[in-house]
């Protein structure tokens, strides 16, 4: 279940909703795609902000990329595939291959700059997965808790 705001954006802008079984076909059907991972909208107020910004971003780039919302039940599985560590997130692909990710909410100018930079990159493997700051386990191992 998506937030009422995201549901309105999906209907009003005709955004596709894809799961992990359909994401590859969707990405192959469009040269550039932006996959929107809203996360838990009840916990992350930024999710609705990104939901509102995404259609504006599509318009600013004159429809160069096609957006899709990732179904709730597929978000965690696809998160591990694209290796990002924060929601909401926009994962950009070219012909189904990874270009980059924008995490959390940014200022409008930062969205424009980051998106433009990402769309000009060559596809690569997603970056190595890293835990968000403050989630490290260094202290655990420093105190010799392993038997």
């Amino acid at each position: 279940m998506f937030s009422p705001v995201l549901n309105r954006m999906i209907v009003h802008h005709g955004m596709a909703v894809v799961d992990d079984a359909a994401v590859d076909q969707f990405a192959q059907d469009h040269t550039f795609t932006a996959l929107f991972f809203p996360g838990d909208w009840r916990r992350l107020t930024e999710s609705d902000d990104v939901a509102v910004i995404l259609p504006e971003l599509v318009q600013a780039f004159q429809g160069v990329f096609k957006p899709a919302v990732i179904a709730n039940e597929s978000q965690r599985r696809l998160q591990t595939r694209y290796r990002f560590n924060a929601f909401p997130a926009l994962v950009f692909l070219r012909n189904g291959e990874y270009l980059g990710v924008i995490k959390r909410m940014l200022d409008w100018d930062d969205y424009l700059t980051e998106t433009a930079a990402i769309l000009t990159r060559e596809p690569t493997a997603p970056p190595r997965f890293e835990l968000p700051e403050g989630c490290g386990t260094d202290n655990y191992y420093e105190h010799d808790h392993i038997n």
Side-chain angles (χ1 to χ4, degrees):
M1 184 166 120
F2 297 122
S3 76
V5 170
L6 180 52
N7 280 327
R8 279 194 300 275
M9 293 293 111
I10 290 167
V11 171
H12 183 75
H13 295 283
M15 286 192 273
V17 176
V18 297
D19 60 14
D20 49 336
V23 70
D24 290 329
Q25 186 62 56
F26 180 84
Q28 288 300 322
D29 289 345
H30 307 283
T31 303
F32 289 97
T33 55
L35 305 177
F36 178 37
F37 292 77
D40 181 358
W41 63 274
R42 290 178 188 91
R43 196 174 55 80
L44 302 168
T45 58
E46 295 176 322
S47 290
D48 279 348
D49 296 333
V50 177
V52 171
I53 283 179
L54 181 55
E56 298 296 322
L57 199 57
V58 171
Q59 184 177 359
F61 282 86
Q62 302 176 338
V64 166
F65 62 87
K66 186 76 171 169
V69 179
I70 300 300
N72 285 329
E73 66 275 6
S74 296
Q75 288 189 61
R76 290 293 182 183
R77 285 188 298 273
L78 289 171
Q79 177 191 22
T80 61
R81 178 177 177 179
Y82 295 114
R83 301 182 199 147
F84 62 90
N85 61 10
F87 290 90
L90 295 173
V91 172
F92 291 87
L93 307 173
R94 180 188 305 140
N95 298 318
E97 296 184 86
Y98 181 84
L99 294 175
V101 62
I102 297 175
K103 300 177 284 188
R104 297 198 169 102
M105 180 67 189
L106 303 178
D107 290 330
W108 177 247
D109 288 341
D110 294 332
Y111 270 110
L112 295 176
T113 302
E114 288 290 320
T115 301
I118 288 170
L119 292 176
T120 61
R121 293 180 187 158
E122 288 301 314
T124 64
R128 202 177 118 242
F129 187 82
E130 295 181 8
L131 291 172
E133 286 184 31
C135 293
T137 57
D138 292 341
N139 289 338
Y140 181 81
Y141 294 107
E142 285 176 10
H143 299 301
D144 197 29
H145 284 90
I146 300 176
N147 294 335

